Amino acid sequence: MPSSSPCSIRALWILSSQDNVAFSRRFPVVEKRWRLACARENERSESVGYSVLPLLPTDPELVSAFSERKRREGSAQGFGIRLAQSTQGSDSWVDDPITRHIISLSIKREGGEEEFMLWPLVLHTKGSYYIIILPFVEPQQFKAYEKLCTRSDCGGSVGEEYSLSSLLYNLPCITGAIMVAHTVGDIITGDVVDPDVVISSSPSVGGLLDSLTGSIGISARAKPVGASVAASSTSGASAVGTIAMDASKSTSRPIDKDALLTFLSSSMPFGTPLDLDFAHVSVIKAHGFSSSDLPPAELKQPAWKPYLHKGKQRMLFMILETINAAMYDRDEIPDSISITGQVNCRADLEGLPDVSLPLSGLKNASMEIVSFHHCVQVSEHGDDKQALMFSPPLGNFVLMRYQALCGPDPPVKGFYQLSMVSEDEGAFLFKLQLMEGYRAPFSMDFCTVSMPFPRRRVLSFDGNPSTGTVSMTEHSLEWKIVTSGRGITGKSIEATFPGTIKFFSRTIQRGPSLPRSVSRNMVEEDTHSDAEQDTANNTLNIEDNLMEKMNKDLESVDLEEPFCWQAYNYAKVSFKIIGGTLSGMSIDPKSVSIYPALKAPVELSMQASSGEYILWNTLGKCPSAVSPKVY
């Protein structure tokens, strides 16, 4: 079973793309725990003759080890797979893709005699910086990884007792270290900023889409007791995603060390993360904890609400849905349509009130998976309704997430066809129906169809769509059916687009760079480090090895119909609909109640947009209809 011990951080480093330490921090309290744990383990295993070195590297030692790892692995993050040049004990030797993000370093002491391993290190790339986090693990787990690095078969035993996956499963501190790395990365690149108070005076929250927390969609912030918060000098949004796939920014900015030190001191004192909400830390720094208008003695002020709202009161709800679809237009293959959604909330309410909220339309939505914010209590459940009660935290938060089936017909349906006219020319046809069966207040804000051709360069196209405009890029055509600001409401439209497309001859295609395009996409976050001359040859060897592994299982291309295959087999639709939900799930603002009673208007906004909304070529070889995955 996984360990239940909380996450603690021994040290963290921030390195620039030139391998200089821009910032580092060690936590002596956690390091003392590590040394004591190592002493106990060494005493227990003294008869074995194996001991754990309870050491931390200096900044120059860490930089030297990190540079050596980049040279050995081919890039800052490597590829996580064993290659011919992999050496025993290296990350790629373990032969697991996760070693691109959970790495180890072989530290050589400046004296040159002593050498020890540092593991597990969470490596997160953000902008032009590398964030390296060293969490506390038990010495037994560290020794288990060292043994794994010497096994010849460690890459072929996924799911077995001694695999890297099973080892990390018992280390929940890794998840905490990843969260710390993402938050630190957002702070140093300016992606986590607490904006000034922007409360819309209109009866709708449709314009409040620039969010403090990225995907939440409401950009107002409560005013703290006693003063208003000054506007920040930068703006942005936090978008915490998967483990370390953030796109690198083209420019770097100096680290705000004062903000970073304040965050570390407040959010993770003594090395243990307590609250990684940068907005809370910023407000506490500026205003301290609430000292006036304290709640009654019988009400305990929770830690996640460090100060109380004072000022204009209102509640904002926003339902955001994303529709994913694979449209085949074939009798033998059913279309695949699903919806993911979330209810976002902001409660600018004085005191510590409880809010009860009824949800309706659940039966039509056919809810499959529902998760709630930890402050929510589910008090009533029926076939078509569900009542929630919660004590709202401060600021924007996601009240619930859900998955559902699409209620009415999909907002965009039709077919797409593409076939060859000659070796360098293709003929295509679109016939689409938009917003059929949708009436006011539904409104389509924009709709765009993209035709990708990733392995051919587009020379020209010929054809006039029945509505909208067409633009061309080097590897795609983009058809803007409905442009933003000229949305359609209360009606359906039929859009057709027949035409032909010409490509540059294969003989003048750019040669050496194109075959490695896929692998370059995989490592785009490492481009600023892979450009170094001393690692160029090693990187090319790794890319060639990867392409060989990736291509060996691909189906061969039918030379008579090269477009009806994988990358040429689909068109992608992007759109946004406002005024309602596609699942039918809704909230009645008049039914929202607050206890103790407060005069606070309740506003609701609803929006749906496309995710992976794919039109598969009806003339091509369609993949399985299980999911709308794009190759």
Side-chain angles (χ1 to χ4, degrees):
M1 292 298 291
S3 171
S4 59
S5 59
C7 173
S8 296
I9 306 300
R10 291 175 58 193
L12 66 87
W13 296 267
I14 301 175
L15 276 59
S16 67
S17 56
Q18 291 77 32
D19 289 350
N20 297 318
V21 176
F23 181 88
S24 65
R25 176 72 183 271
R26 294 159 177 80
F27 297 93
V29 173
V30 182
E31 191 61 18
K32 184 177 180 180
R33 287 172 48 201
W34 166 252
R35 289 176 179 272
L36 291 174
C38 288
R40 290 193 299 268
E41 177 64 19
N42 291 338
E43 288 179 6
R44 188 181 66 84
S45 58
E46 185 175 359
S47 59
V48 183
Y50 179 85
S51 61
V52 180
L53 296 177
L55 302 175
L56 269 182
T58 64
D59 288 352
E61 290 171 349
L62 183 116
V63 167
S64 176
F66 188 72
S67 300
E68 171 63 21
R69 182 189 181 277
K70 280 206 301 183
R71 185 197 64 76
R72 185 180 64 246
E73 299 290 336
S75 68
Q77 290 193 311
F79 293 93
I81 59 174
R82 188 182 297 183
L83 307 170
Q85 57 266 44
S86 298
T87 59
Q88 190 178 85
S90 65
D91 289 333
S92 57
W93 180 265
V94 181
D95 204 9
D96 193 311
I98 202 171
T99 57
R100 302 190 71 227
H101 315 292
I102 313 298
I103 69 171
S104 66
L105 292 178
S106 180
I107 306 295
K108 296 180 181 179
R109 304 299 284 180
E110 292 179 337
E113 297 180 358
E114 200 172 26
E115 184 174 347
F116 64 95
M117 178 185 288
L118 210 59
W119 182 89
L121 291 167
V122 172
L123 173 62
H124 175 58
T125 304
K126 186 72 174 185
S128 60
Y129 294 102
Y130 302 112
I131 298 98
I132 301 175
I133 308 292
L134 175 62
F136 173 89
V137 297
E138 293 296 334
Q140 302 95 311
Q141 297 160 328
F142 173 81
K143 291 167 67 175
Y145 178 77
E146 277 198 317
K147 293 178 181 178
L148 189 66
C149 291
T150 62
R151 288 176 49 186
S152 61
D153 61 341
C154 56
S157 55
V158 177
E160 293 186 7
E161 183 179 359
Y162 297 108
S163 67
L164 181 60
S165 301
S166 61
L167 180 60
L168 294 178
Y169 175 75
N170 289 280
L171 295 175
C173 62
I174 295 294
T175 302
I178 291 171
M179 294 175 64
V180 171
H182 275 272
T183 306
V184 169
D186 291 339
I187 292 172
I188 64 177
T189 56
D191 284 348
V192 173
V193 177
D194 193 17
D196 197 5
V197 178
V198 181
I199 298 288
S200 174
S201 59
S202 65
S204 170
V205 297
L208 304 178
L209 299 179
D210 294 326
S211 162
L212 171 65
T213 52
S215 63
I216 284 184
I218 302 174
S219 67
R221 181 173 57 78
K223 186 181 293 184
V225 172
S228 61
V229 177
S232 301
S233 59
T234 56
S235 62
S238 167
V240 176
T242 54
I243 186 167
M245 291 294 183
D246 298 273
S248 298
K249 294 185 177 181
S250 58
T251 59
S252 61
R253 62 193 297 272
I255 294 178
D256 187 347
K257 294 185 179 180
D258 180 63
L260 189 55
L261 284 170
T262 299
F263 170 76
L264 295 176
S265 300
S266 304
S267 65
M268 42 189 299
F270 310 110
T272 300
L274 300 177
D275 184 357
L276 297 181
D277 192 323
F278 186 71
H280 289 178
V281 175
S282 300
V283 172
I284 294 171
K285 177 187 176 183
H287 306 283
F289 288 89
S290 174
S291 59
S292 61
D293 295 331
L294 294 174
E298 64 271 14
L299 294 178
K300 183 179 179 181
Q301 187 168 354
W304 42 259
K305 200 166 186 178
Y307 62 91
L308 302 179
H309 175 77
K310 186 69 174 179
K312 185 177 181 180
Q313 301 187 91
R314 65 170 55 184
M315 289 198 69
L316 309 176
F317 291 97
M318 189 168 194
I319 304 177
L320 301 175
E321 290 190 343
T322 300
I323 180 170
N324 300 290
M327 313 291 288
Y328 299 93
D329 193 45
R330 291 187 177 186
D331 294 336
E332 69 275 16
I333 305 178
D335 294 338
S336 173
I337 305 174
S338 65
I339 293 174
T340 59
Q342 64 186 48
V343 179
N344 302 327
C345 178
R346 177 177 192 86
D348 292 337
L349 304 174
E350 295 184 353
L352 298 171
D354 290 324
V355 177
S356 62
L357 167 71
L359 303 174
S360 60
L362 304 185
K363 186 175 182 179
N364 293 333
S366 300
M367 291 281 187
E368 294 180 353
I369 300 175
V370 178
S371 63
F372 299 98
H373 190 275
H374 57 76
C375 70
V376 175
Q377 300 179 33
V378 182
S379 58
E380 181 183 349
H381 182 71
D383 290 338
D384 197 43
K385 66 179 181 178
Q386 188 161 9
L388 312 178
M389 186 172 69
F390 59 96
S391 178
L394 191 70
N396 305 331
F397 67 100
V398 179
L399 185 67
M400 62 172 287
R401 289 185 172 91
Y402 60 91
Q403 292 185 355
L405 301 177
C406 187
D409 288 335
V412 178
K413 56 184 180 180
F415 66 83
Y416 161 57
Q417 295 178 345
L418 174 66
S419 61
M420 289 299 295
V421 174
S422 65
E423 182 179 358
D424 299 319
E425 184 176 358
F428 62 86
L429 171 64
F430 285 96
K431 188 172 183 181
L432 304 177
Q433 192 77 30
L434 276 60
M435 300 295 285
E436 185 177 15
Y438 289 80
R439 298 292 180 261
F442 284 97
S443 174
M444 177 170 279
D445 187 60
F446 72 86
C447 182
T448 301
V449 177
S450 299
M451 301 167 56
F453 304 100
R455 300 191 184 185
R456 295 297 299 268
R457 293 174 59 203
V458 179
L459 174 64
S460 63
F461 75 93
D462 183 26
N464 294 313
S466 61
T467 183
T469 59
V470 183
S471 59
M472 183 183 76
T473 67
E474 188 177 20
H475 294 287
S476 68
L477 287 184
E478 188 174 88
W479 176 22
K480 295 183 178 179
I481 305 176
V482 180
T483 57
S484 183
R486 297 185 178 182
I488 57 175
T489 305
K491 63 177 181 179
S492 63
I493 62 173
E494 184 176 290
T496 58
F497 182 18
T500 59
I501 185 169
K502 294 182 179 180
F503 303 92
F504 285 97
S505 172
R506 293 180 182 274
T507 59
I508 61 172
Q509 294 278 339
R510 285 176 292 183
S513 61
L514 278 177
R516 292 197 301 272
S517 60
V518 178
S519 69
R520 285 203 309 272
N521 290 338
M522 291 177 59
V523 294
E524 61 180 343
E525 71 270 22
D526 291 330
T527 54
H528 57 272
S529 64
D530 291 343
E532 298 158 357
Q533 187 66 32
D534 59 345
T535 63
N537 294 334
N538 195 21
T539 302
L540 291 178
N541 292 337
I542 294 174
E543 289 187 359
D544 292 340
N545 187 284
L546 270 182
M547 288 304 299
E548 181 181 353
K549 286 190 175 185
M550 292 167 59
N551 290 329
K552 67 179 181 180
D553 296 326
L554 293 180
E555 298 177 7
S556 60
V557 179
D558 184 350
L559 295 180
E560 295 182 359
E561 288 289 343
F563 290 145
C564 302
W565 170 80
Q566 294 188 355
Y568 309 102
N569 208 20
Y570 72 95
K572 184 173 182 178
V573 184
S574 302
F575 60 82
K576 183 173 76 173
I577 296 174
I578 57 177
T581 62
L582 301 180
S583 66
M585 202 278 287
S586 184
I587 297 172
D588 183 5
K590 296 180 180 179
S591 300
V592 176
S593 61
I594 305 171
Y595 179 82
L598 297 172
K599 291 184 178 180
V602 179
E603 303 176 13
L604 172 66
S605 175
M606 293 178 284
Q607 174 183 309
S609 59
S610 58
E612 292 297 324
Y613 201 101
I614 307 302
L615 300 174
W616 288 104
N617 181 8
T618 61
L619 301 179
K621 301 174 183 177
C622 293
S624 171
V626 174
S627 64
K629 180 179 179 181
V630 179
Y631 291 91

